[in-house]
Amino acid sequence: MTTKMRSSIPLACTAMAGLLLAACNSTAIRVGGAPEASVKNCVAAAARELRVPPASIAADKGSTPRDGVYTVNLKVGPQRRSAVCTTDENSAVIGVVYKRPE
């Protein structure tokens, strides 16, 4: 191996580590454990089920209460009414309902 090649290996490793770290810290991928596809599908399903424009729905937070099932909390409409959406491991929507006020 040449000296030039040896000196470029640590640089390449550092660049790759930086890319991997950036991917792990991305907030666009998940909302509280739910995959991005689940969040998008929940917003689309909520718009249909709750009869509101998709732009008026925001994903608030999410969780994974059981393996393969994701729960995404939503804020709907100008009143920011709470709703919950569940999806399976393939991001298919299981259901969308408004939460009862506490």
Side-chain angles (χ1 to χ4, degrees):
M1 243 199 235
T2 66
T3 306
K4 184 176 183 181
M5 191 175 214
R6 276 189 227 148
S7 66
S8 65
I9 290 173
L11 180 60
C13 289
T14 302
M16 187 59 110
L19 286 173
L20 291 173
L21 185 59
C24 290
N25 289 333
S26 174
T27 57
I29 295 173
R30 295 184 178 268
V31 173
E36 185 178 9
S38 289
V39 175
K40 287 180 180 180
N41 291 346
C42 278
V43 169
R48 282 190 309 273
E49 288 291 317
L50 306 175
R51 295 183 176 96
V52 296
S56 70
I57 301 170
D60 186 27
K61 56 186 171 183
S63 63
T64 309
R66 295 188 312 254
D67 287 342
V69 176
Y70 301 102
T71 301
V72 178
N73 292 320
L74 305 168
K75 296 293 182 181
V76 181
Q79 300 87 8
R80 312 303 292 161
R81 190 165 173 197
S82 293
V84 66
C85 173
T86 54
T87 67
D88 67 11
E89 66 273 4
N90 297 316
S91 298
V93 174
I94 298 168
V96 178
V97 294
Y98 277 119
K99 288 183 177 180
R100 288 187 350 177
E102 295 179 11

Coordinates of all heavy atoms in Angstrom, one line a residue:
M1 N 0.8 -1.2 0.0 CA 0.0 0.0 0.0 C 0.9 1.2 0.0 O 1.9 1.3 0.7 CB -0.9 0.0 1.3 CG -2.3 -0.1 1.0 SD -3.2 0.5 2.4 CE -4.2 -0.9 2.7
T2 N 0.5 2.2 -0.7 CA 1.2 3.5 -0.8 C 0.9 4.3 0.4 O -0.2 4.2 1.0 CB 1.0 4.2 -2.1 OG1 -0.4 4.7 -2.1 CG2 1.3 3.4 -3.3
T3 N 1.7 5.3 0.7 CA 1.5 6.2 1.8 C 0.2 7.0 1.6 O -0.6 7.3 2.5 CB 2.7 7.1 2.0 OG1 3.8 6.3 2.2 CG2 2.5 8.0 3.2
K4 N 0.0 7.5 0.3 CA -1.1 8.3 0.0 C -2.4 7.5 0.2 O -3.4 8.0 0.7 CB -1.0 8.7 -1.5 CG -2.2 9.7 -1.9 CD -2.0 10.1 -3.3 CE -3.1 11.1 -3.6 NZ -2.9 11.6 -5.0
M5 N -2.4 6.2 -0.1 CA -3.6 5.4 0.1 C -3.9 5.2 1.5 O -5.1 5.2 2.0 CB -3.4 4.1 -0.7 CG -4.7 3.2 -0.7 SD -4.3 1.8 -1.7 CE -5.9 1.6 -2.5
R6 N -2.9 5.0 2.3 CA -3.0 4.8 3.8 C -3.6 6.0 4.4 O -4.4 5.9 5.3 CB -1.7 4.4 4.4 CG -1.4 2.9 4.4 CD -0.2 2.6 5.2 NE 0.6 1.8 4.4 CZ 1.9 1.7 4.5 NH1 2.6 2.5 5.3 NH2 2.6 1.0 3.7
S7 N -3.2 7.2 4.0 CA -3.7 8.4 4.6 C -5.1 8.7 4.2 O -5.8 9.4 4.9 CB -2.8 9.6 4.3 OG -2.9 9.9 2.9
S8 N -5.6 8.2 3.1 CA -7.0 8.4 2.7 C -8.0 7.5 3.4 O -9.2 7.8 3.4 CB -7.1 8.4 1.2 OG -6.9 7.1 0.7
I9 N -7.6 6.4 3.9 CA -8.5 5.4 4.5 C -9.2 6.0 5.8 O -10.4 6.0 5.9 CB -7.8 4.1 4.9 CG1 -7.5 3.4 3.5 CG2 -8.6 3.2 5.8 CD1 -6.6 2.1 3.7
P10 N -8.4 6.6 6.7 CA -9.1 7.3 7.9 C -10.1 8.4 7.4 O -11.1 8.5 8.0 CB -8.0 7.8 8.7 CG -6.8 7.0 8.3 CD -7.0 6.7 6.9
L11 N -9.7 9.1 6.4 CA -10.6 10.2 5.9 C -11.9 9.6 5.4 O -13.0 10.1 5.7 CB -9.9 11.0 4.8 CG -10.7 12.1 4.3 CD1 -11.1 13.1 5.4 CD2 -10.0 12.8 3.2
A12 N -11.8 8.5 4.7 CA -13.0 7.8 4.1 C -13.9 7.2 5.3 O -15.1 7.3 5.2 CB -12.6 6.7 3.1
C13 N -13.2 6.7 6.2 CA -13.9 6.1 7.4 C -14.6 7.2 8.2 O -15.8 7.0 8.6 CB -13.0 5.3 8.3 SG -12.4 3.8 7.6
T14 N -14.0 8.3 8.4 CA -14.6 9.5 9.1 C -15.8 10.0 8.3 O -16.9 10.3 8.9 CB -13.6 10.6 9.3 OG1 -12.5 10.0 10.0 CG2 -14.2 11.7 10.0
A15 N -15.7 10.1 7.0 CA -16.8 10.6 6.2 C -18.0 9.6 6.3 O -19.2 10.0 6.4 CB -16.4 10.7 4.7
M16 N -17.7 8.3 6.2 CA -18.8 7.3 6.3 C -19.5 7.3 7.7 O -20.7 7.2 7.8 CB -18.2 5.9 6.0 CG -19.3 4.9 5.9 SD -20.5 5.3 4.6 CE -20.1 4.0 3.5
A17 N -18.7 7.5 8.7 CA -19.3 7.6 10.1 C -20.2 8.8 10.2 O -21.2 8.7 10.8 CB -18.1 7.6 11.1
G18 N -19.8 9.9 9.6 CA -20.6 11.1 9.7 C -21.9 10.9 8.9 O -23.0 11.3 9.4
L19 N -21.9 10.2 7.8 CA -23.1 9.9 7.1 C -24.1 9.0 7.9 O -25.3 9.2 8.0 CB -22.8 9.3 5.7 CG -22.3 10.2 4.7 CD1 -21.8 9.4 3.4 CD2 -23.3 11.3 4.3
L20 N -23.5 8.0 8.5 CA -24.3 7.1 9.3 C -24.9 7.8 10.5 O -26.0 7.5 10.8 CB -23.5 5.9 9.7 CG -23.1 4.9 8.6 CD1 -22.1 3.9 9.2 CD2 -24.3 4.2 8.0
L21 N -24.1 8.6 11.1 CA -24.6 9.4 12.3 C -25.8 10.3 11.9 O -26.8 10.4 12.6 CB -23.5 10.1 13.0 CG -23.8 10.9 14.2 CD1 -24.3 9.9 15.3 CD2 -22.6 11.6 14.8
A22 N -25.6 11.0 10.8 CA -26.7 11.9 10.3 C -28.0 11.1 10.0 O -29.0 11.5 10.3 CB -26.2 12.6 9.0
A23 N -27.8 9.9 9.4 CA -29.0 9.1 9.1 C -29.7 8.6 10.4 O -30.9 8.6 10.5 CB -28.6 7.9 8.3
C24 N -28.9 8.3 11.4 CA -29.5 7.9 12.7 C -30.2 9.0 13.4 O -31.2 8.8 14.2 CB -28.5 7.3 13.6 SG -27.8 5.7 13.0
N25 N -29.8 10.2 13.2 CA -30.4 11.4 13.9 C -31.5 12.1 13.1 O -32.0 13.1 13.5 CB -29.3 12.4 14.2 CG -28.4 11.9 15.3 OD1 -28.8 11.1 16.2 ND2 -27.2 12.4 15.3
S26 N -31.9 11.5 12.0 CA -32.9 12.1 11.1 C -34.3 12.1 11.8 O -34.7 11.0 12.3 CB -33.0 11.4 9.8 OG -34.1 12.0 9.1
T27 N -35.0 13.2 11.9 CA -36.3 13.3 12.6 C -37.4 13.0 11.6 O -38.5 12.8 11.9 CB -36.5 14.6 13.3 OG1 -36.3 15.6 12.3 CG2 -35.5 14.8 14.4
A28 N -37.1 13.1 10.3 CA -38.1 12.9 9.2 C -38.5 11.4 9.1 O -39.5 11.1 8.5 CB -37.6 13.4 7.9
I29 N -37.7 10.5 9.6 CA -38.0 9.1 9.4 C -39.1 8.6 10.3 O -39.9 7.8 9.9 CB -36.7 8.3 9.6 CG1 -35.7 8.7 8.4 CG2 -36.9 6.8 9.5 CD1 -34.3 8.1 8.6
R30 N -39.0 8.9 11.6 CA -40.0 8.4 12.5 C -40.6 9.4 13.4 O -40.0 10.4 13.7 CB -39.3 7.3 13.4 CG -38.8 6.1 12.6 CD -38.2 5.1 13.6 NE -37.8 4.0 12.8 CZ -38.5 2.9 12.6 NH1 -39.7 2.8 13.1 NH2 -38.1 1.9 12.0
V31 N -41.8 9.1 13.8 CA -42.5 9.9 14.8 C -42.7 9.0 16.0 O -43.6 8.2 16.0 CB -43.9 10.5 14.3 CG1 -44.6 11.2 15.4 CG2 -43.6 11.4 13.2
G32 N -41.9 9.1 17.0 CA -42.1 8.3 18.2 C -42.0 6.8 18.0 O -42.7 6.1 18.6
G33 N -41.2 6.4 17.0 CA -41.1 4.9 16.8 C -41.9 4.5 15.6 O -41.6 3.4 15.0
A34 N -42.8 5.2 15.1 CA -43.6 4.8 13.9 C -42.8 5.2 12.6 O -42.3 6.3 12.5 CB -45.0 5.5 13.9
P35 N -42.8 4.3 11.7 CA -42.1 4.6 10.4 C -42.8 5.8 9.7 O -44.0 6.0 9.8 CB -42.2 3.3 9.6 CG -42.6 2.3 10.6 CD -43.3 2.9 11.7
E36 N -42.0 6.4 8.8 CA -42.6 7.5 8.1 C -43.8 7.1 7.2 O -44.7 7.9 7.1 CB -41.5 8.1 7.1 CG -41.9 9.4 6.4 CD -40.8 9.9 5.5 OE1 -39.7 9.3 5.4 OE2 -41.0 11.1 5.0
A37 N -43.7 5.9 6.6 CA -44.9 5.5 5.8 C -46.1 5.4 6.7 O -47.2 5.7 6.2 CB -44.6 4.1 5.2
S38 N -46.0 4.9 7.9 CA -47.2 4.8 8.8 C -47.8 6.2 9.1 O -49.0 6.4 9.1 CB -46.8 4.2 10.2 OG -46.5 2.8 10.0
V39 N -46.9 7.2 9.3 CA -47.3 8.5 9.6 C -48.1 9.1 8.4 O -49.2 9.6 8.5 CB -46.2 9.4 10.0 CG1 -46.6 10.9 10.2 CG2 -45.5 8.9 11.3
K40 N -47.5 8.9 7.2 CA -48.1 9.4 6.0 C -49.5 8.8 5.8 O -50.5 9.4 5.4 CB -47.2 9.2 4.8 CG -46.0 10.1 4.7 CD -45.2 9.9 3.5 CE -44.0 10.8 3.5 NZ -43.2 10.5 2.3
N41 N -49.5 7.4 5.9 CA -50.8 6.7 5.8 C -51.8 7.1 6.8 O -53.0 7.2 6.5 CB -50.5 5.2 5.8 CG -49.8 4.7 4.6 OD1 -49.6 5.4 3.6 ND2 -49.2 3.5 4.7
C42 N -51.4 7.4 8.0 CA -52.3 7.9 9.0 C -52.9 9.2 8.7 O -54.1 9.4 8.9 CB -51.6 7.9 10.4 SG -51.5 6.3 11.2
V43 N -52.1 10.1 8.2 CA -52.6 11.5 7.8 C -53.6 11.3 6.7 O -54.7 11.9 6.7 CB -51.5 12.4 7.5 CG1 -52.0 13.7 6.8 CG2 -50.6 12.7 8.7
A44 N -53.3 10.5 5.7 CA -54.3 10.3 4.6 C -55.6 9.7 5.0 O -56.7 10.1 4.7 CB -53.6 9.5 3.5
A45 N -55.5 8.6 5.9 CA -56.7 7.9 6.4 C -57.5 8.9 7.3 O -58.7 8.9 7.2 CB -56.3 6.7 7.1
A46 N -56.8 9.6 8.1 CA -57.5 10.6 9.0 C -58.3 11.6 8.2 O -59.4 12.0 8.5 CB -56.6 11.2 10.0
A47 N -57.7 12.1 7.1 CA -58.3 13.1 6.3 C -59.6 12.5 5.7 O -60.7 13.2 5.6 CB -57.4 13.5 5.2
R48 N -59.6 11.2 5.2 CA -60.8 10.6 4.6 C -61.8 10.3 5.7 O -63.0 10.7 5.6 CB -60.4 9.3 4.0 CG -59.7 9.4 2.6 CD -59.6 8.0 1.9 NE -59.0 7.0 2.8 CZ -57.7 6.8 2.9 NH1 -56.8 7.5 2.2 NH2 -57.2 5.8 3.6
E49 N -61.4 9.7 6.8 CA -62.3 9.3 7.8 C -62.9 10.4 8.6 O -64.1 10.4 8.9 CB -61.6 8.4 8.9 CG -61.2 7.0 8.4 CD -62.5 6.1 8.1 OE1 -63.4 6.1 9.0 OE2 -62.5 5.4 7.1
L50 N -62.1 11.4 8.9 CA -62.6 12.6 9.7 C -63.1 13.7 8.8 O -63.5 14.7 9.4 CB -61.5 13.0 10.7 CG -60.9 11.9 11.5 CD1 -59.8 12.4 12.4 CD2 -62.0 11.2 12.4
R51 N -63.0 13.6 7.5 CA -63.5 14.5 6.6 C -62.9 15.9 6.8 O -63.6 16.9 6.9 CB -65.0 14.6 6.6 CG -65.6 13.3 6.1 CD -67.2 13.4 6.0 NE -67.7 12.1 5.5 CZ -68.2 11.1 6.3 NH1 -68.1 11.2 7.6 NH2 -68.7 10.1 5.7
V52 N -61.6 16.0 6.8 CA -60.9 17.2 6.9 C -59.8 17.2 5.9 O -59.3 16.2 5.4 CB -60.3 17.5 8.3 CG1 -61.4 17.6 9.4 CG2 -59.3 16.4 8.7
P53 N -59.3 18.4 5.5 CA -58.2 18.5 4.6 C -56.9 17.9 5.2 O -56.6 18.1 6.4 CB -58.0 20.0 4.3 CG -59.1 20.7 4.9 CD -59.7 19.7 5.8
P54 N -56.1 17.1 4.4 CA -54.8 16.6 4.9 C -53.9 17.6 5.5 O -53.2 17.4 6.5 CB -54.2 15.9 3.7 CG -55.3 15.7 2.8 CD -56.3 16.8 3.0
A55 N -53.9 18.8 5.0 CA -53.0 19.9 5.5 C -53.4 20.4 6.9 O -52.6 21.0 7.6 CB -53.1 21.1 4.5
S56 N -54.6 20.0 7.3 CA -55.0 20.4 8.7 C -54.7 19.4 9.7 O -55.1 19.5 10.9 CB -56.5 20.7 8.7 OG -57.3 19.5 8.6
I57 N -54.0 18.3 9.3 CA -53.6 17.3 10.3 C -52.1 17.3 10.5 O -51.3 17.3 9.6 CB -54.0 15.9 9.7 CG1 -55.6 15.9 9.5 CG2 -53.6 14.8 10.6 CD1 -56.0 14.6 8.7
A58 N -51.7 17.2 11.8 CA -50.3 17.2 12.1 C -50.1 15.9 13.0 O -50.8 15.7 13.9 CB -49.9 18.4 12.9
A59 N -49.0 15.2 12.7 CA -48.6 14.1 13.6 C -48.0 14.7 14.8 O -47.0 15.5 14.8 CB -47.6 13.2 12.8
D60 N -48.5 14.3 16.0 CA -48.1 14.9 17.2 C -46.9 14.0 17.8 O -45.9 14.5 18.1 CB -49.2 15.0 18.2 CG -48.9 15.7 19.5 OD1 -48.0 16.5 19.5 OD2 -49.6 15.4 20.5
K61 N -47.2 12.8 18.0 CA -46.2 11.9 18.6 C -46.7 10.5 18.3 O -47.8 10.2 17.9 CB -45.9 12.1 20.0 CG -47.1 12.0 20.9 CD -46.8 12.4 22.3 CE -48.1 12.5 23.1 NZ -47.9 12.9 24.5
G62 N -45.8 9.5 18.5 CA -46.2 8.1 18.2 C -45.5 7.2 19.2 O -44.7 7.6 20.0
S63 N -46.0 5.9 19.2 CA -45.4 4.9 20.0 C -45.6 3.5 19.4 O -46.3 3.4 18.4 CB -46.0 4.9 21.4 OG -47.4 4.6 21.3
T64 N -44.9 2.6 20.0 CA -45.0 1.2 19.5 C -45.4 0.4 20.8 O -44.6 -0.2 21.5 CB -43.7 0.7 19.0 OG1 -43.2 1.6 18.0 CG2 -43.8 -0.7 18.4
P65 N -46.7 0.3 21.0 CA -47.2 -0.4 22.2 C -47.0 -1.9 22.1 O -46.8 -2.6 23.1 CB -48.7 -0.1 22.3 CG -49.1 0.4 21.0 CD -47.8 0.9 20.3
R66 N -47.1 -2.5 20.9 CA -46.8 -3.9 20.7 C -46.0 -4.1 19.5 O -45.9 -3.2 18.6 CB -48.2 -4.7 20.5 CG -49.1 -4.6 21.7 CD -50.3 -5.5 21.4 NE -50.9 -5.3 20.1 CZ -52.0 -4.7 19.9 NH1 -52.7 -4.2 20.9 NH2 -52.5 -4.6 18.7
D67 N -45.3 -5.2 19.4 CA -44.4 -5.5 18.3 C -45.3 -5.5 17.0 O -46.3 -6.1 16.9 CB -43.7 -6.8 18.4 CG -42.6 -6.8 19.4 OD1 -42.1 -5.7 19.7 OD2 -42.2 -7.9 19.8
G68 N -44.9 -4.7 16.0 CA -45.5 -4.6 14.8 C -46.8 -3.7 14.7 O -47.4 -3.6 13.6
V69 N -47.2 -3.1 15.8 CA -48.3 -2.2 15.8 C -47.8 -0.8 16.2 O -47.1 -0.7 17.2 CB -49.4 -2.7 16.7 CG1 -50.5 -1.6 16.8 CG2 -50.0 -4.0 16.3
Y70 N -48.1 0.2 15.4 CA -47.7 1.5 15.7 C -48.9 2.4 16.0 O -49.9 2.3 15.3 CB -46.9 2.1 14.5 CG -45.6 1.3 14.2 CD1 -45.6 0.5 13.1 CD2 -44.5 1.4 15.0 CE1 -44.5 -0.3 12.8 CE2 -43.4 0.7 14.7 CZ -43.4 -0.2 13.6 OH -42.3 -0.9 13.3
T71 N -48.7 3.3 17.0 CA -49.8 4.2 17.3 C -49.2 5.6 17.0 O -48.2 6.0 17.5 CB -50.2 4.1 18.8 OG1 -50.6 2.8 19.0 CG2 -51.3 5.1 19.1
V72 N -50.0 6.4 16.3 CA -49.6 7.8 15.9 C -50.7 8.7 16.4 O -51.9 8.6 16.1 CB -49.4 8.0 14.4 CG1 -49.1 9.4 14.1 CG2 -48.4 7.0 13.8
N73 N -50.3 9.6 17.3 CA -51.3 10.7 17.8 C -51.3 11.8 16.8 O -50.2 12.2 16.3 CB -50.8 11.2 19.2 CG -51.0 10.1 20.2 OD1 -51.9 9.3 20.2 ND2 -50.0 10.0 21.1
L74 N -52.5 12.3 16.5 CA -52.7 13.3 15.5 C -53.4 14.5 16.2 O -54.1 14.4 17.1 CB -53.5 12.8 14.4 CG -53.0 11.6 13.6 CD1 -54.1 11.0 12.7 CD2 -51.7 11.9 12.9
K75 N -53.1 15.7 15.6 CA -53.8 16.9 16.0 C -54.6 17.3 14.7 O -54.0 17.5 13.6 CB -52.9 18.1 16.4 CG -52.1 17.7 17.7 CD -53.1 17.7 18.9 CE -52.3 17.4 20.1 NZ -53.1 17.3 21.3
V76 N -55.9 17.5 14.8 CA -56.8 17.6 13.7 C -57.5 19.0 13.7 O -58.1 19.3 14.7 CB -57.8 16.5 13.6 CG1 -58.7 16.6 12.4 CG2 -57.1 15.1 13.6
G77 N -57.5 19.6 12.5 CA -58.2 20.9 12.3 C -57.7 22.1 13.1 O -56.7 22.0 13.8
P78 N -58.4 23.2 12.9 CA -57.9 24.4 13.6 C -58.1 24.4 15.1 O -57.3 25.0 15.9 CB -58.8 25.5 13.0 CG -59.9 24.8 12.4 CD -59.5 23.4 12.1
Q79 N -59.0 23.5 15.6 CA -59.1 23.3 17.1 C -58.1 22.4 17.6 O -58.0 22.2 18.9 CB -60.5 22.8 17.4 CG -61.7 23.6 17.0 CD -62.1 23.3 15.5 OE1 -61.6 22.3 14.9 NE2 -62.9 24.1 14.9
R80 N -57.3 21.8 16.8 CA -56.2 20.8 17.2 C -56.8 19.7 18.0 O -56.2 19.2 19.0 CB -55.1 21.5 17.9 CG -54.6 22.8 17.3 CD -54.0 22.7 15.9 NE -52.8 21.9 15.9 CZ -52.3 21.3 14.9 NH1 -52.9 21.4 13.7 NH2 -51.2 20.6 14.9
R81 N -57.9 19.2 17.6 CA -58.6 18.1 18.3 C -57.7 16.8 18.2 O -57.1 16.5 17.1 CB -59.9 17.8 17.6 CG -60.8 16.9 18.4 CD -62.2 16.9 17.9 NE -62.9 15.8 18.6 CZ -64.1 15.4 18.2 NH1 -64.7 15.9 17.2 NH2 -64.7 14.4 18.9
S82 N -57.6 16.1 19.3 CA -56.7 14.9 19.3 C -57.4 13.7 18.7 O -58.6 13.4 18.9 CB -56.4 14.5 20.8 OG -55.6 15.5 21.3
A83 N -56.6 13.0 17.9 CA -57.1 11.7 17.3 C -55.9 10.7 17.4 O -54.8 11.1 17.6 CB -57.4 11.9 15.8
V84 N -56.2 9.4 17.2 CA -55.2 8.4 17.3 C -55.4 7.5 16.1 O -56.5 7.2 15.7 CB -55.2 7.6 18.6 CG1 -56.5 6.8 18.8 CG2 -54.0 6.8 18.8
C85 N -54.3 7.1 15.5 CA -54.3 6.2 14.4 C -53.4 5.0 14.7 O -52.3 5.2 15.3 CB -53.8 7.0 13.1 SG -53.5 5.9 11.7
T86 N -53.8 3.8 14.3 CA -52.9 2.7 14.5 C -52.6 2.0 13.1 O -53.4 2.0 12.2 CB -53.5 1.6 15.4 OG1 -54.8 1.3 14.9 CG2 -53.7 2.1 16.8
T87 N -51.4 1.5 13.0 CA -51.0 0.8 11.7 C -50.3 -0.5 12.1 O -49.8 -0.6 13.2 CB -50.0 1.7 10.9 OG1 -48.7 1.8 11.6 CG2 -50.5 3.1 10.6
D88 N -50.2 -1.4 11.1 CA -49.5 -2.6 11.3 C -48.1 -2.5 10.9 O -47.6 -1.4 10.5 CB -50.2 -3.8 10.6 CG -50.2 -3.7 9.1 OD1 -49.4 -2.8 8.5 OD2 -50.9 -4.4 8.4
E89 N -47.3 -3.6 10.9 CA -45.9 -3.6 10.6 C -45.6 -3.2 9.2 O -44.5 -2.8 8.8 CB -45.2 -4.9 11.0 CG -45.7 -6.1 10.1 CD -46.9 -6.8 10.6 OE1 -47.5 -6.3 11.6 OE2 -47.3 -7.8 10.0
N90 N -46.6 -3.3 8.3 CA -46.5 -2.9 6.9 C -47.0 -1.5 6.6 O -47.2 -1.1 5.5 CB -47.2 -3.9 6.0 CG -46.6 -5.3 6.1 OD1 -45.4 -5.5 6.1 ND2 -47.5 -6.3 6.3
S91 N -47.3 -0.7 7.7 CA -47.8 0.6 7.6 C -49.2 0.7 7.1 O -49.6 1.8 6.7 CB -46.8 1.5 6.8 OG -45.6 1.6 7.4
A92 N -49.9 -0.4 7.1 CA -51.3 -0.3 6.7 C -52.1 0.2 7.9 O -51.9 -0.3 9.0 CB -51.8 -1.7 6.3
V93 N -53.1 1.1 7.6 CA -53.9 1.7 8.7 C -54.9 0.7 9.2 O -55.6 0.1 8.4 CB -54.5 3.0 8.2 CG1 -55.5 3.5 9.3 CG2 -53.5 4.0 7.9
I94 N -54.9 0.5 10.5 CA -55.9 -0.4 11.2 C -57.1 0.4 11.5 O -58.2 0.0 11.4 CB -55.3 -1.0 12.4 CG1 -54.1 -1.9 12.0 CG2 -56.3 -1.8 13.2 CD1 -53.2 -2.4 13.2
G95 N -56.9 1.6 12.1 CA -58.0 2.5 12.4 C -57.6 3.9 12.8 O -56.5 4.1 13.2
V96 N -58.6 4.8 12.7 CA -58.4 6.2 13.1 C -59.7 6.6 13.9 O -60.8 6.4 13.4 CB -58.3 7.1 11.9 CG1 -58.2 8.6 12.3 CG2 -57.2 6.7 11.0
V97 N -59.5 7.2 15.1 CA -60.6 7.7 15.9 C -60.2 8.9 16.6 O -59.0 9.2 16.9 CB -61.1 6.6 16.9 CG1 -61.7 5.4 16.3 CG2 -59.9 6.2 17.9
Y98 N -61.2 9.8 16.8 CA -61.0 10.9 17.7 C -60.8 10.4 19.1 O -61.5 9.4 19.5 CB -62.2 11.9 17.7 CG -62.1 12.9 16.5 CD1 -63.2 12.9 15.6 CD2 -61.1 13.8 16.4 CE1 -63.2 13.8 14.5 CE2 -61.1 14.7 15.3 CZ -62.1 14.7 14.4 OH -62.1 15.6 13.4
K99 N -60.0 11.1 19.9 CA -59.9 10.7 21.3 C -61.0 11.5 22.1 O -61.4 12.6 21.7 CB -58.5 11.2 21.9 CG -57.4 10.4 21.4 CD -56.1 10.9 22.1 CE -54.9 10.1 21.8 NZ -53.7 10.6 22.5
R100 N -61.5 10.9 23.2 CA -62.5 11.6 24.0 C -61.7 12.6 24.8 O -60.6 12.4 25.3 CB -63.1 10.6 25.0 CG -64.1 9.7 24.2 CD -64.9 8.8 25.1 NE -64.6 8.7 26.5 CZ -65.3 7.9 27.3 NH1 -66.3 7.2 26.9 NH2 -65.0 7.9 28.6
P101 N -62.4 13.8 25.0 CA -61.7 14.8 25.8 C -61.6 14.3 27.2 O -62.5 13.7 27.7 CB -62.7 16.0 25.7 CG -63.6 15.7 24.6 CD -63.6 14.2 24.4
E102 N -60.5 14.7 27.9 CA -60.3 14.3 29.2 C -60.8 15.3 30.2 O -60.9 16.4 30.0 CB -58.8 14.0 29.5 CG -58.3 12.9 28.6 CD -56.8 12.7 28.8 OE1 -56.2 13.3 29.7 OE2 -56.2 11.9 28.1

